[in-house]
Amino acid sequence: MRKVTEDDVLQYYLPLVQRECKHAYKGLDWEDRVAEGNLALLHAIRTYRTKHGYFKEYAASEIRRIMQAQNGKAWSSRRLDSRFSLDAFSGISTGIGAAYLDDSIVDVTWFMESLAEMDKIVVCMLMEGMSIDSISDKLVISQSQVQGVIEDLKQKLLEYFGDSVE
């Protein structure tokens, strides 16, 4: 009987890594997301203990945790780069001595503040990586209601940000 290697596990769980990285962690390019996701999976392989429960759930949570940290570093790096760019300011006189302001953060903050309470809760749960099933269970509403909130959010997002949303 052949022994299962780390490479075998990495290959087997590649679809999980790709699924976790597909629509999230946009601070990183796709190839970087997959590479970081594979490193996170490797970390999960090496740190997994049976007390953690099912390996797939443990691996997914480790991938999310590590990817969130790597994504934060990538966005921080980009913000730092933009602070030193002449394009970061609307004009030299307004930029000198003024606090740095990231317009995307302001837009997202305003958008979030415009949402109903249920919408905000669902957005936060989605950002934490929760599935529709988990959100439904936690909020004690049907999965179709959660899906309806998500569809409404998509529509509001398109209306608010227009064509700049991918």
Side-chain angles (χ1 to χ4, degrees):
M1 181 174 196
R2 184 175 161 270
K3 184 177 178 181
V4 176
T5 66
E6 285 180 345
D7 286 337
D8 295 331
V9 177
L10 285 170
Q11 273 300 25
Y12 182 81
Y13 284 103
L14 181 61
L16 171 69
V17 169
Q18 291 174 333
R19 189 172 51 249
E20 288 296 326
C21 296
K22 187 171 186 177
H23 297 293
Y25 317 113
K26 300 268 178 137
L28 299 166
D29 293 328
W30 170 249
E31 294 83 11
D32 293 335
R33 281 185 262 169
V34 173
E36 291 291 343
N38 279 328
L39 288 173
L41 178 58
L42 187 59
H43 168 77
I45 292 168
R46 293 177 178 174
T47 60
Y48 175 74
R49 303 292 178 263
T50 55
K51 69 179 181 181
H52 296 302
Y54 293 108
F55 175 75
K56 185 175 182 177
E57 292 171 7
Y58 175 73
S61 69
E62 286 298 291
I63 291 168
R64 286 185 205 114
R65 183 182 65 78
I66 291 170
M67 290 299 297
Q68 190 171 22
Q70 295 300 345
N71 191 56
K73 288 178 188 176
W75 280 117
S76 293
S77 173
R78 285 184 179 186
R79 274 195 294 273
L80 184 61
D81 290 344
S82 69
R83 286 183 185 174
F84 298 107
S85 167
L86 293 178
D87 297 332
F89 306 113
S90 58
I92 294 294
S93 62
T94 60
I96 297 174
Y100 170 71
L101 178 63
D102 184 346
D103 291 340
S104 65
I105 292 172
V106 173
D107 285 347
V108 171
T109 301
W110 284 343
F111 175 74
M112 288 296 289
E113 288 172 356
S114 73
L115 296 177
E117 198 60 34
M118 178 62 80
D119 293 347
K120 289 178 188 177
I121 292 169
V122 170
V123 166
C124 290
M125 291 177 153
L126 287 169
M127 288 171 44
E128 290 173 0
M130 293 179 71
S131 67
I132 292 175
D133 296 340
S134 302
I135 294 170
S136 171
D137 292 343
K138 188 117 174 157
L139 297 178
V140 192
I141 60 175
S142 71
Q143 291 179 10
S144 61
Q145 286 174 302
V146 174
Q147 193 64 43
V149 169
I150 292 171
E151 292 303 317
D152 289 345
L153 282 168
K154 287 179 184 177
Q155 185 60 39
K156 289 175 184 175
L157 192 65
L158 285 172
E159 289 169 5
Y160 188 83
F161 290 103
D163 294 334
S164 63
V165 178
E166 355 182 309

